[in-house]
Amino acid sequence: MTPLYAFVQDRARPDERARILSAMNLMDSIGGVVANMVLVKLMIHFGVPSAWQILVLVPLSIAAAIFITKLLPRSLLMIIGRAIVVAMYRLRSHHEERTPDKGAILLLPNHTSYTDAS
């Protein structure tokens, strides 16, 4: 759901952003609870063991992730890219006041470790 939230937050007008995100959180919570209740209740009714219940839910989760990725590839790639950069590098920010609030920035590694991108 994170890519979807990022997409909506990016596209919402600032004066409506909080209300829209609150409504999305509420719909997500209610929808998730209802869907899980129905799906799990059906599997329990038909005697599906818990291990198989997980195996049923995994493809559904992967399908949902692929669907969201098709809708929001830019947002998802930004999240994945950020996660990789944070996991591999210890980034330090200098002169944050010079960083633009909007638009792209250029990261230039200075080759101080063996895990540089170059």
Side-chain angles (χ1 to χ4, degrees), residues 2-106:
T2 302
L4 183 59
Y5 287 142
F7 176 77
V8 170
Q9 185 172 349
D10 189 45
R11 301 292 191 278
R13 291 193 333 236
D15 59 323
E16 293 184 348
R17 188 172 294 140
R19 186 170 51 99
I20 290 172
L21 290 176
S22 296
M24 276 187 56
N25 283 326
L26 181 62
M27 290 187 305
D28 180 35
S29 297
I30 292 171
V33 168
V34 170
N36 281 318
M37 285 173 46
V38 170
L39 187 60
V40 172
K41 194 72 159 174
L42 281 171
M43 288 191 282
I44 290 172
H45 176 72
F46 289 112
V48 177
S50 59
W52 284 96
Q53 290 178 19
I54 292 172
L55 290 175
V56 167
L57 294 174
V58 166
L60 293 174
S61 299
I62 291 172
I66 290 170
F67 178 71
I68 290 171
T69 302
K70 294 289 185 185
L71 289 177
L72 311 168
R74 177 180 169 264
S75 300
L76 182 62
L77 289 176
M78 289 175 63
I79 291 167
I80 291 171
R82 180 179 170 91
I84 290 170
V85 167
V86 168
M88 291 188 67
Y89 300 101
R90 290 185 197 142
L91 296 179
R92 290 181 307 238
S93 177
H94 298 281
H95 303 289
E96 289 185 31
E97 69 278 359
R98 297 181 188 171
T99 305
D101 290 332
K102 292 185 177 185
I105 62 170
L106 188 59

